[in-house]
Every structure is written in structure tokens, then in C-alpha cells.
Amino acid sequence: MAANTFGEIYRLTSFGESHGVGIGGVIDGCPPGLDINFTFIQLELNRRRPGQSSITTARDEKDEVEFLSGLLNGVTTGTPLAFIVRNLDQKPKDYSHLQDTYRPSHADFTYEAKYGIRDHRGGGRASARETIARVVAGAIAKSYLKQHGISIQAYVSSIGEIEIPKAINIPSFEAVESSLVRCPHPGSSQAMIQLIEEVRKEGDTLGGIINCHITGLKAGLGAPVFDKFHADLAKAVMSINAVKGFEYGSGFDGVKLRGSSHNDKFAVKDGKTVTLTNHSGGIQGGITNGAEVYFRAAFKPVATLMSDQTTVDKFGKTVIIKGKGRHDVCVVPRAVVIVEAMAAIVTMDHFLRQKVYQ
Amino acid sequence: MAANTFGEIYRLTSFGESHGVGIGGVIDGCPPGLDINFTFIQLELNRRRPGQSSITTARDEKDEVEFLSGLLNGVTTGTPLAFIVRNLDQKPKDYSHLQDTYRPSHADFTYEAKYGIRDHRGGGRASARETIARVVAGAIAKSYLKQHGISIQAYVSSIGEIEIPKAINIPSFEAVESSLVRCPHPGSSQAMIQLIEEVRKEGDTLGGIINCHITGLKAGLGAPVFDKFHADLAKAVMSINAVKGFEYGSGFDGVKLRGSSHNDKFAVKDGKTVTLTNHSGGIQGGITNGAEVYFRAAFKPVATLMSDQTTVDKFGKTVIIKGKGRHDVCVVPRAVVIVEAMAAIVTMDHFLRQKVYQ
Amino acid sequence: MAANTFGEIYRLTSFGESHGVGIGGVIDGCPPGLDINFTFIQLELNRRRPGQSSITTARDEKDEVEFLSGLLNGVTTGTPLAFIVRNLDQKPKDYSHLQDTYRPSHADFTYEAKYGIRDHRGGGRASARETIARVVAGAIAKSYLKQHGISIQAYVSSIGEIEIPKAINIPSFEAVESSLVRCPHPGSSQAMIQLIEEVRKEGDTLGGIINCHITGLKAGLGAPVFDKFHADLAKAVMSINAVKGFEYGSGFDGVKLRGSSHNDKFAVKDGKTVTLTNHSGGIQGGITNGAEVYFRAAFKPVATLMSDQTTVDKFGKTVIIKGKGRHDVCVVPRAVVIVEAMAAIVTMDHFLRQKVYQ
Amino acid sequence: MAANTFGEIYRLTSFGESHGVGIGGVIDGCPPGLDINFTFIQLELNRRRPGQSSITTARDEKDEVEFLSGLLNGVTTGTPLAFIVRNLDQKPKDYSHLQDTYRPSHADFTYEAKYGIRDHRGGGRASARETIARVVAGAIAKSYLKQHGISIQAYVSSIGEIEIPKAINIPSFEAVESSLVRCPHPGSSQAMIQLIEEVRKEGDTLGGIINCHITGLKAGLGAPVFDKFHADLAKAVMSINAVKGFEYGSGFDGVKLRGSSHNDKFAVKDGKTVTLTNHSGGIQGGITNGAEVYFRAAFKPVATLMSDQTTVDKFGKTVIIKGKGRHDVCVVPRAVVIVEAMAAIVTMDHFLRQKVYQ
């Protein structure tokens, strides 16, 4: 019943609240001898951080990671890696008006229903700030996977009603990062930025979709039955705040194809068994087949609005709330690194699991 | 690393192959004192069984469950419930031609890549016959949940390109079961049946979508962060053979809404805090809010075709295969009970988990 | 909360009651490609079986194992190995007089306190017959370990007040099995047999101690902190019915030594770092050091007596009970194979865990 | 494969090294609404701390706990409790001479064999300083259990060859704490202190035995088969540094009794079913019966000597080492609180597990 732990061998236990001491985690099962690239971790945290650009919130939370254990001269020793990113920007008073109020489509009411008590300061544990722990664990996983030829790249494929054209290749990191909204299709990127600015003026918010690609995988990762590679990816991604849907390979659109069009024909290329198409999304029977794994995640629009909303408090009284301070119109561009992180954690976990059979 | 076990407190360990002795499971953590309704389990197994109607395969596998432990006079004792459904219809010779061949979009190649060995007889462990174990565990979970006022109902909402109209209420069990394709919308049901017949003649296959509703839940089920109620549902449902996508609440379509339209306003009704809309799908921050939970699962078209397909064998040679014997054009109607079963297992597990806090 | 599952990678889920259908288990995580030696498993089951000799009970339960899944032509495929040993000797009527009675030092009262219901037939799940599942899983583990040069040998070192001399080498399998009480020291063996015969006549029972040696281990197995090799051995062995104590290496006697005598000095032999003594029992900091691992387990005297005992029933009434039928005076000789089995399961599990770091 | 996590519902994940940033942990599954008694936690840490008295080491490590998450105004919220105790007394240079040397009966060699790398500074992760995390989690568990009428008391029953008389009642906390060696029998306490002083002069070290009693338990805690209450206690206690043996109830001595003497007769007292004796140690079939649970743990003598020892280094060269600075002659008095902590963690975990069945 490890509600705050994810993974079987490469295991992240996450802790922290948005307005407590900080957000942190403990990574158990990281192989010894891995050089920790602190610069890379910081860059990844920066990708998640609010205040990156004119279109994200103006909070400048400097998210710096501090390691508490598991390293000798910057190299992993096989013992648990604990870390914390301190909350510098704690202003608990900002949130006193929320102590008894249930914000619409937030977790205020449900946490209270579950625990009979809740940390109301900025959402407490339910805040997306918790994903910092995932980004750190994801960055370390990416470094490990890179050594084994595996890389992970996500990007924004839709915001609101604006979608990129279907036929897009896996974009480069640079193509993604050069867009303010992390959309590698310049025309769509432009339109998305414009939409965000418009919606901001209305005090409203937007959702969107993130696509993610995992390349360089060998065949054989994933476990049949319950721990299918894509089932673990689904849980990982659906556990990110605001995610409402997950699909991989042909996904929801695939249901309209006939089997004869959907089946991925096998062929032999350079002595290796490959598929000529990839509706399977690189996974068959829950196990990778060596082709690229790709999936998509749907994010609902941000629940905190910069306009008045009517709601109720814990005493049943009707109250009016309004988002104060600094909030994103659309978190999807910042969520790209979180999706990548969860994909990296799942991939590394299954990579290590497969070593048992080798 | 329990690849064949699902759940934390109510735990199913599944075993068996499609052409071995049988398919079975061990349920650990079922509360003592529960009357096992053998008739109900059998009815649920019948709903999954091939050969139910003119439009499903003609194999008449009588799937009868035999309990091996955990019961005293038909009542659970708190000890593990082991069970098996024997494979009566074993004709291993049917499958000898598949020993070295990789069927397109099947798990033949990936199992071999993973384990270096595979049971080629009818897909072995990768066969959807494995879901029998889930249906049995799901039936027991449904009985338990029913005692606590919780019920689960799934149905087919699309097959191929035919979809039911959006605005449909939760259908009754009778409305679902009275349709050959388990689609409660008569017009769509008719069209789906016709489509299946046409596609059968072409030797081709179809996919579809299943909708599922969980009603009667109290607020407070599910755990924040990784074990969100919907994240566990996603893993559970994505682990069913052929599922390519999962969404709950507003899902993928929700990304196009503005926050002001998507947010579910709170109100007080009969002294209870409720939401006026339910884009959240009954879950906020990973925890149920007392509203109905609903989700959708996308199934790809069946991979086994009744027409010739070119593929390769393990020696890299090109071979032609053709589905022999008896195969479904579309498994989605039969998968309704499997989706319900996985939803029931997740719900019961979180129901028992929540007892720790009460 | 997997109360009936043991192990992390090589995982046994046990099921069954002494007078139900049978005792069985599911082994998940057994590597693919392992030849199952059915004869060996049967021999191991025979070692556990009552009725082996004049000094054990006369019940001739033919414990034959039937595999339900996971094999292709007798070779493991990487999928779960389910098995059952059926109860042939079911005479539930024998036990009707125990339905409401709490036998002294049995689990009748505690099962009822825990679950509110219990299977009273021969102890139900609390019967030592449950250990059949462990013996099967242990036999498979032994076969696997043997391929890697690791072997496990236990034997009886004391029964009642009779103890073997301290300075005994690891006995051969033959030396152990040639003794009716599995005590490789002929003089002690003789005395133990005589003691058992005497105590039988008195309608009384005996306990004893089993020593166990694991040889051929490489350095590096076991995990620091909680999953120390000996901590997992302790749990495994203490979970066997009737075990009251566990010690490894110098154990309880070691506390009387000074550090200067107890420390195992290192030396280099044939290029390998070894210790000159082995008070550590082959384990330092929870991790094997390459020396032989040895431990001891204390078994209390059998609770079922062949003489009258006064006890109470669930209504608080005083009743007199007497063991009926066939019961061992001393189960320790039969428990040798169970201790070995649990040691084999732990060793195999940690052997596979260590593969992740290689 | 959570090597650094202990517990199923009340779960401690431990991290940290003796000469890194600090020792800490994350507790998941602590019920919400529990008032954290910081003073009590500090008192418990003080009981573990070196430098408590003239007979323990002179290091004055002020072990102050800092909570990083999970609290709102000092009350648990149901989210993970992370904490750290910083290492103030870091003098890594002290240990440079150990970088390549394997200290006898320490974990230097085995960590290196396992991971290929090790933190040599003061034992790194293998240091008993890791038990700080256990003491913190144990203190919180004790507070929770106290609210439910359960208390835990350990004490030293032997050091070297000095043992207390057998027939001793459960001592009071004051009786234990008023002894410098935490031995509540004044005569033995005196003799132990004298022995420690003598052995200190010889540059040698001592082991000993700790007895522990858990009182106030209801019947029904513990799970049958693998997670027996005493099997989990055994693993918990055996995972403490230097522990070589565990026994509960009649333990190793019980094997010499006949069944007729060993069996605990049932009786009815004040309407409750009780046992007249308690050889069972409060546990039957792995489940508590409502009587006091008691057990004993054997600690080997301290491995670090204040006199010269010959050993080898990683290059196979013979070297001479000598404990520098400050080391205990006997850690057993300080380990009392660690044994209590592990007992408290196990008890709380099973207490919460049992809530599922209520």
C-alpha cells in the first residue's frame, strides 16, 4: 500500500507539500556507479519551473535540488538517493482564505473527505509542485537510459482546439525547446501562444495534449499480463495532475481501422525482425518489440481561474473565490518534462527488471 | 516484481495458458464471511465466453470454475481463494504450424524476445483466455461491492466507425445484455451487428470502445499521488488484451474546453456536498468525490484474420498464415465483462484500503 | 499486504487447507528455460510426508504434485508455475468435535479472533500441511541453485534434551537421510529414536532444533538495511509452523565472546579474500561474504497430544480433548526439508535480485 | 525489491550514511490526525545517542530531527512524513585510512563485493547510525499504539557472560532507564558496568541480549502463513546491526519441554478466553492471542576494537588497523530503543492491517 512510491526496482518515494519545507523524494534501486549530472537535473527542473517565459506564471521559484544521501563524490553507491527541493517562495498567508473553501475541480473536498484534515496551503500535497520529485528521478533515469542508447522526447501536440498536423516526425529536443509552448510545429506553436494570450485576458484557462516517444528500446521489456509496458506507462502518466486520458500506438483512432490495416506486418531488415508499420506503438502483448514506443496524454484545462467562481465551503455556505497571484493559463508546456520523467522511470524500471532474465 | 499479481489488499494472482491445464488464480485479501455466489460467477464467465451468439465464435468452451481453497460451506474464511477453469477444448495440434511463426500484431515475437522460449499453443499466456481469472475475481468483488451499495456497468459504445449518440444515460444491465453486441442503443446495436456480419465475410476484423460506470461510491476512495483512483483504473484496464487507450471524465475531448466550462461547480444537496456537473468523472486529485466514476477503453481490431497474411518465422523466412478454426471478428462485446471485472477489482481494493483510515 | 506470498522476484503464493481440495501454490518469477525435475520434487515431498518411518505418523498421504501452468514440455516458460497437491485423505468428520473447541497452543482461537470464522477441519490453513507449497517451491529453487553451484543441507541437531556434539562438519545428504530422525550423528540419532518411542508411550510430544548450511554462495547476495540476507532467512524460517527461535553464525552463544575472539579475520587464499573463522555465518552487514551460511531453528514440541487435555470452547465451557487418529510425537525430522525449502527460496530470490546489479 | 523500506501499511523508507548529510526517512501510511510529540521523539533519539553516560562513547552527536513534510501544525495529514537528522559530527578525514581496507566483521568487503563501490566513511550506510531513522518511526508508532493501549518495553538481560535471573517481571521504564546499561536488575546492572569497564581497558568489546515485551495487544493481529506476527518481528529485529539471533515465547529453551508442559491451557477469565501460561509468547499460528508478546534478541560483540587487528586491503595486502577515536565497548544498552522501535513499527503495521477486517 505504497501510495507515494512508484516502481518495482527503480523506486521513487515522493514527499512534500507546496507550502511546507519542500518537495523531495527517495530513489531506491538506482544501480551503483552512475555519475549524477547535477547540471542536467537542474536543466530539467528549469523546464518544469513556472516563470520560464512570458506565457507562464511569473513566480520565480528557484528549484534547486539538494542531495541528502546515496552519493560518493557525485557517483551513486547503490544506497538510497534522497533529495529535496526547498520551497523558497512560501507565503502561507496567501492561502488562508482557502482553509474552509472547496475550490471547484481541485482536490480540497476529496482530501478532506478522505483524511478528515488537509493542508490547504496552495493545494498542499495535491499541488503539481509534487511533480518536482518525479522530474529529479526522471532526470537520473534519463541519464542511465542514455548510456544504454535509449532516449525519450515529449512535446505539446495540442492546446485547446489547436492541433498540430498528424504526420510529424519525432522532433529534436531543440525544436521542442525553441517553442515557448514546446510545440515543434512552428505554425501551431504561434497559434497556441496567441490563444493562451487571449484566454489569459478572459481570466480563463486551457488544456492540451502531450505526445511522447521512447526510442532505442530493445525488444523484451515489459511483463505480460498486469505489468504490461504500456499499462505501467498508463498508470505513471495518469498519475500526473490534470491528466484525463492516455493512449498509445493507434490509440482511440485505431478502433476505426480494420484488422487488415491495423496489423503491423513483420519483415526482416539487416538480420533483425522488424515491423513495417507501427500501429502497435512498439509494444505487443505488453512487451516491447524494438520499435519506437509512443503515446499521448490529455490534460484538462487548469482549474484555478483568474475570474470569480461560485463554490461552497465546508459549512455548506456559498462563497465566491478568485485565483489570486500567479497562475498558469495552460500548464501543458511545463508538463512536457513531467511526462518524459514518468516515461523514463517506467522504462528504467522495466530495463532493470529485464536484467533478471539475462 | 509481481508481474502476475494485481491489487494491494484485494490481490489477484493469475496463472494459466490457453492450451494448458486451465486458467486460474489466487485471490488473497478477500474479507472473511462473504457468501460466494457460484451462479453469479458462472453467469459472468458466460458473458465472457466465446460462442454466446451468432456473431461470436462457435467454440463452445464451457468455462466452469472450480474452487481449490479458501471456502467453508461456500463462505470465505479470510484465507486465499484459489480457483481454476479447466481448458476442455485443448487441441494443441491446431497450433503446431505456429511454433516458429510470428503472427502479426500478436505477442509471439515479443515473448520469444523476452524469455527465449514461448508456449505457441493458441498464444499461451498471451491469449485473452487469461482474462477468465479476472472475471472470477471481478465477480467476487462485484458481490462484495454490491453489499456496500456500489455497482459497475459497462457497455459497448462503438464498433468500427459506428458510435452511439453521446447523450446516453447509464444503461440497465438488461438493456446491455439484450443486445447481441452489448450496446444499449438499439439503432447502433443493429448497425454494429450488420457491420460485424459484413466484415466477417471479408475475413477482416473490428475494434471498438467500451464505456464503464461505477456508481454508489462514497467520497474518499483512492490515494493521492501515484495510486490515484483513475491511475489504478488506467493500469487495470490497459492491462486487458487489445486495449490501446483509456480516458475518464471529460477525457481527450475535455482538452478543448475552457477551464470555466470544465470546472465542476460545487453545491450542497440534501446536506451533502455535490458537483453540478461531472467532467471530473467522479474523481478529484485522484480521490473519489461521491459522484459517478466513468471511463472509456479503446480496443484495437482483432489481430487474427480469416484471410491470408504474409509474415516471417523465427528463421527470417517469409511465410503465409491464415487464421484457422474459430475466431471473433470483434471481441469488444465479450470484453464488457472483463472491463467491469477490472473496475470491480480496483474499486474493491481501494474500498478496503480506505478502511485503514476509518 | 500479501500475507500468503513470499519473495520479491522468486515469489511463492501459497493456498489451501489441510482438509479442503488440496494444498498448492503459484510461483511467479521463475526464470524461463529451467527443466523441472518432477522426480526430485516428489522425493522432496516424500521427505516431508507423514508415514515415512515407524516413528512418524501412520497416515499415508500420497502427496503427488500436479502442475497447472507455466511449463512447455517440462520446461519453465517464464510464466507463473501453478501447482496443487490434492488431499486424498480427507475425512472431515474426524474433526467435527473441534468445531467449537480451542485446542491448546493451536491457532483455533486466534484464527477465530482474527476472522470471526475458521476452517476447523484439521487446523485448516493453520495446518503444517500448508508447507507442501513451500517444499515444491523449494525443490525448484534447489534445482536452479544447483546449476549455479549452490547447495543447501539441513539436519536435526537436537530433539528434546538430546543434542549432537557441537563440532560436526556439514553432513552429506546420505548421512542425514540414513537416520530415521535425520540426525547425522549416529549416537545421537539412536538416542533420539529411543526418546521418541518413550514419549509416544506417554502420549506426550517433543520439540527440537534443525541446523542448516548453505554452501557455494558468492559474495554479494542480500541487501543492506531491512532485507539483510539473514533477516529474510529469519522471516522465512520463523514463518514455518512451530518455530520459536532463529540464530545464524555464532548466534545466542556468540554474545558471550569478546570482540577479539568473535571477529573473523580476513586473509587472502588463492587470490580470494576469505575469513579464517566464520562466526559471521557467512554474512556481514546483511550481505554474503562467500563463506558458508549456517543457521539454526528451534521447534516447540507438537501441540496435539495423544492424552487428555482440558480446554475451553467458544462458549466458554470447559471441555476435554484428546488427539485422535494419527499424530507425530516429533515433527522435527520431517521439518528438515521445509527448512531447506525456505532457505532455498530466500537464496534464489536474492540470487535473482543480485542479477540486477551485474 | 524495496531493500530500504519496511512495513506494508505503516512503511518506513530509510536513507542516509553515517558521514554524509544525515540520516533520514519517509514514513508512508501514518494515519491522519496524529499529534506528533516532538519532545518524545527527541527523548527516544537521546536514548540511542552515543555519549549518554560514562560507559558509552564520548561522541556528543546531537541528534535533532527535522520534519520535511506531512504535518500541519504538528498534526499528521495522511501524507508522507519525511524527516532528517543531520550529521553534525562529520570528520571524513578520520576514515581515509579505511578507504581500501576491509575491517574484520564489518561490511566493508561485502558492500564492495555487492556494489563495486562503497562509502568508506565510518561504515557509510552500514553504520548503526542508520537506526536513527528506525527510532524516529518507532517513536511515532509508540505514540499511536499508546492511544490504543499498547506499550512496548525492552531492556538488557545479558552482557557478555553476565545474565539477569530468569524470573523477572516486565520492568518499568524508570527501572530500565535508571540503569546505565538499561538492565533493571540492580545486581546484574552493577556487574555489567564493571565488566564493561574491565573490557574497555583491554581494548576489547562485548555483546549481549535484549528482552522485549509488548503489552495491551488485542487478539487477532498478525497474518497467518508468511506474515506471522513473530516472523515479521524476527525480520525487523534481525535487520538491526549486530543481531545474530531471535526467539520469542519459550524460544530455544522450549525445545526441551514436553508438549504437555509447553502447551498453554485455555481458561475463561472475566468473560475472556485467556491462557494460563504463556510459552506461546502471546502468539498462536502467527496471530496474537491477547497475552503479552515477548521476545529476545542476541547482539554479537562490537567489531571495532581499540586494539591492533591484522586484516587485508582490497589489493590483498596485509595491514594492521586499530579503532580510532570513540567507540562503544558494548552497544547493547543503546540498542534497547532500537529494538523497541522495530517492535513498534511491526505492531503498528499489523494493527493497521487488521483494520481492514473490522
Side-chain angles (χ1 to χ4, degrees), chain D residues 51-300:
Chain D
Q52 299 168 54
S53 73
S54 58
I55 60 153
T56 58
T57 87
R59 283 174 292 176
D60 191 13
E61 306 172 6
K62 279 216 188 69
D63 292 330
E64 278 177 35
V65 69
E66 176 193 355
F67 279 87
L68 304 171
S69 68
L71 296 176
L72 187 69
N73 305 323
V75 176
T76 61
T77 59
T79 61
L81 285 161
F83 60 89
I84 188 164
V85 171
R86 293 190 175 261
N87 298 326
L88 300 178
D89 190 31
Q90 294 168 254
K91 298 184 189 163
K93 278 186 188 166
D94 273 359
Y95 293 95
S96 60
H97 62 295
L98 295 178
Q99 193 158 356
D100 301 325
T101 302
Y102 301 141
R103 290 169 296 163
S105 292
H106 273 279
D108 303 335
F109 170 69
T110 54
Y111 265 68
E112 200 152 305
K114 183 171 192 70
Y115 296 120
I117 183 176
R118 79 183 148 96
D119 187 340
H120 62 281
R121 301 167 302 171
R125 182 88 182 127
S127 162
R129 199 166 157 74
E130 181 275 330
T131 57
I132 282 176
R134 307 174 185 223
V135 171
V136 173
I140 295 170
K142 279 182 183 178
S143 295
Y144 181 83
L145 293 170
K146 201 180 169 187
Q147 295 184 352
H148 295 88
I150 299 166
S151 58
I152 293 166
Q153 181 66 56
Y155 60 92
V156 172
S157 64
S158 109
I159 286 183
E161 53 276 12
I162 299 169
E163 281 182 75
I164 59 166
K166 277 260 149 117
I168 195 173
N169 291 324
I170 308 178
S172 69
F173 178 77
E174 290 68 30
V176 174
E177 293 304 305
S178 65
S179 158
L180 282 183
V181 287
R182 293 205 169 85
C183 172
H185 182 257
S188 307
S189 171
Q190 199 81 21
M192 288 168 179
I193 293 168
Q194 203 176 319
L195 178 63
I196 288 172
E197 290 305 341
E198 284 167 23
V199 169
R200 180 199 306 283
K201 285 171 198 153
E202 297 161 16
D204 217 332
T205 59
L206 288 160
I209 295 176
I210 289 175
N211 290 19
C212 186
H213 299 258
I214 311 173
T215 48
L217 291 165
K218 294 222 173 92
L221 301 201
V225 187
F226 299 116
D227 292 359
K228 290 183 163 83
F229 195 82
H230 57 267
D232 280 349
L233 276 177
K235 170 160 175 167
V237 170
M238 296 294 299
S239 79
I240 300 171
N241 304 42
V243 176
K244 306 288 286 186
F246 173 92
E247 59 180 4
Y248 82 104
S250 60
F252 276 90
D253 282 351
V255 308
K256 289 176 190 154
L257 295 178
R258 297 291 178 273
S260 55
S261 311
H262 191 277
N263 277 358
D264 294 318
K265 288 192 174 55
F266 280 113
V268 177
K269 234 180 189 166
D270 306 329
K272 278 180 65 181
T273 303
V274 297
T275 60
L276 296 176
T277 50
N278 190 14
H279 294 109
S280 299
I283 302 167
Q284 280 155 344
I287 304 169
T288 58
N289 66 5
E292 165 206 334
V293 169
Y294 63 98
F295 64 85
R296 285 158 42 95
F299 287 74
K300 68 168 187 177

Side-chain angles (χ1 to χ4, degrees), chain A residues 9-10 26-36 69-72 74-82, chain C residues 222-225 287 353-354 356-357, chain D residues 1-4 14-17 111 114-119 125:
Chain A
I9 291 187
Y10 185 75
V26 182
I27 300 167
D28 203 356
C30 187
L34 184 69
D35 252 300
I36 293 296
S69 68
L71 296 176
L72 187 69
V75 176
T76 61
T77 59
T79 61
L81 286 161
Chain C
V225 187
I287 305 170
R353 285 173 75 158
Q354 183 59 6
V356 172
Y357 296 111
Chain D
M1 284 207 6
N4 294 281
S14 153
F15 65 81
E17 285 84 19
Y111 265 68
K114 183 171 192 70
Y115 296 120
I117 183 176
R118 79 183 148 96
D119 187 340
R125 182 88 182 127

